[in-house]
Amino acid sequence: NRDFGDKWDLYRRLPSLPPYLMIDRDRPIVDVLDRADSSSWTGPRRVAGMDSTISLPALAIEITMAAIYRRTAAARREG
């Protein structure tokens, strides 16, 4: 998986990047890595299903999977 290989290797070094989300383009699945401190991360934690919500404490927000997948083939298949 390129998102957890080459891209992750670069992004994890950015101090301004609090969470890193890997969004499956075909299925309602998101893997979330959260920054633990300046040099380490926790996760990934998997969120799956159109009725799920992703909590991003570092950004003080929650986002629904339905919002992420709105207007995608995955949303049409699920709903």
Side-chain angles (χ1 to χ4, degrees):
N1 181 331
R2 187 167 175 259
D3 287 334
F4 200 62
D6 299 337
K7 287 182 186 179
W8 169 241
D9 193 46
L10 295 171
Y11 291 153
R12 69 187 174 108
R13 298 175 197 195
L14 296 173
S16 61
L17 183 69
Y20 179 64
L21 282 67
M22 292 175 285
I23 301 171
D24 189 303
R25 70 180 198 180
D26 299 317
R27 300 172 295 158
I29 297 172
V30 176
D31 290 319
V32 182
L33 289 105
D34 294 293
R35 184 177 290 282
D37 57 42
S38 63
S39 63
S40 64
W41 295 78
T42 61
R45 59 185 164 95
R46 177 160 283 188
V47 180
M50 294 298 274
D51 59 343
S52 298
T53 299
I54 299 172
S55 176
L56 302 170
L59 301 176
I61 64 168
E62 290 187 344
I63 186 166
T64 64
M65 295 286 275
I68 292 172
Y69 285 92
R70 182 184 57 199
R71 293 188 229 145
T72 67
R76 289 188 292 278
R77 279 194 299 276
E78 291 281 321

